Amino acid sequence: VTDMTARLSAYLTDLARIRLFEERVAELHAAGQVVGSVHLCIGQEAIYAGAVRALDLPRDKVFATYRGHGWAIACGVPLDRLFAELLGRQTGINGGRGGSAFLTAPASGFMGENSIVGGAAPIAAGAAMAAQFDGSGRVVVCSFGEGAMNQGAVHEALNFAAIRRAPVIFVIENNTYSELTPTSSMVRIDTLYRRASAYGIRGARIDGNDPEAVYQAILHAAQQARAGNGPVVIEAMTQRLVGHYIGDAQLYRPAGEIDAARARDPIAGVRRALLESGTSEALLSQLTDRASREVDEAAALAARAPLADAATVEEHLYA
Ligand SMILES: Cc1ncc(C[n+]2csc(CCOP(=O)(O)OP(=O)(O)O)c2C)c(N)n1
């Protein structure tokens, strides 16, 4: 088994875990057991699988926005604790208080979501500055959608991180829609990574559906950041195979677009690459069956846990 085949197998496992977790979340939402707004990352999973493999967690830190299940899973947060969180259980990774859009698991290096578009960028720049003080060699990954590239806070963070040479990698998950609005009707340029040059830092565009391309890009950016050369902007081109949130009818998407996107499904891509490298169908099935069993067991465990106790509602608040 070459390093490349081992990495592809690991990607397939991660992609399957994320995809199957989210498909189960959609079912639980339809059944009324997961409530509130839920943003699935189905179609974008290669970004998380590739990026996290290039990091050293929990020393390194990851910040997301609200489409964060995939980042949390790739960072190694236990699936049952995530299901429990979405189901409002005491055993949830945040005691059932955070839910889908406010997950956080610092022990795993996942510094969490915040739901404010672009909100993580200044915090991530601060976490990267802290790394310069404590000499930990840590790098910070900050992910957001392409819509966040029009938020003032992101530009402040880019400039601040650039001038301080702070070790932060800004990952734009460019799925070409901000909520229901196509990028082409929001900005007059078609490449966002080039904005990095306005801050004197490096930017690159990559295929965000190819976990190996993401891995190589993040590995290189992390080496550069750890060596004191400062931030990098990675624009990972991808697509969501589902709506912006569960319940989005997607009437704004042109006919055929989702089918075309399915042809670029990252899971199919990794399966193809593994088959071409000589891996058997049987081994691929073994990997996905294992992920499927894991998801089943985690969901069942979470469903057996008690709901968060209403009497504790005032705990964990600022006094
Ligand atoms: C500061 C702020 N403004 C507006 C919103 C409402 N809002 C939620 S999602 C979203 C679109 C963001 O698009 P993008 O950054 O491309 O991320 P994607 O949903 O594609 O992952 C907006 C405007 C918000 N959450 N925060």
Side-chain angles (χ1 to χ4, degrees), residues 135-183:
S136 60
R138 168 197 322 136
V139 300
V140 178
V141 165
C142 178
S143 121
F144 40 74
E146 76 293 339
M149 282 300 279
N150 298 324
Q151 288 291 98
V154 172
H155 292 278
E156 292 171 36
L158 281 166
N159 187 59
F160 180 83
I163 192 64
R164 306 286 303 219
R165 294 183 183 268
V168 54
I169 304 167
F170 296 97
V171 176
I172 309 170
E173 297 183 42
N174 190 345
N175 64 14
T176 74
Y177 286 101
S178 298
E179 283 183 315
L180 324 184
T181 309
T183 318

Side-chain angles (χ1 to χ4, degrees), residues 34-35 47 55 69 93 95 98 104 124-126 136 144 146 175 181 196 205 216 221 227 254 260 274-275 282 289:
V34 168
V35 294
I47 298 174
L55 298 176
H69 305 158
I93 191 77
T104 167
S136 60
F144 40 74
E146 76 293 339
N175 64 14
T181 309
R205 174 179 265 193
Q216 294 295 348
L274 274 166
L275 290 171
D289 289 352

Side-chain angles (χ1 to χ4, degrees), residues 230-274:
V232 176
V233 174
I234 307 283
E235 181 177 17
M237 299 308 295
T238 185
Q239 73 256 315
R240 51 174 163 74
L241 296 174
V242 291
H244 170 73
Y245 57 93
I246 293 182
D248 173 7
Q250 303 188 76
L251 299 176
Y252 53 90
R253 293 185 88 164
E257 186 186 80
I258 299 180
D259 284 339
R262 279 203 192 97
R264 296 190 302 273
D265 185 327
I267 295 187
V270 171
R271 283 183 60 91
R272 256 195 319 272
L274 274 166

Side-chain angles (χ1 to χ4, degrees), residues 54-66:
L55 298 176
D56 173 25
L57 296 180
R59 175 176 65 143
D60 294 336
K61 309 292 175 201
V62 172
F63 290 81
T65 310
Y66 46 78

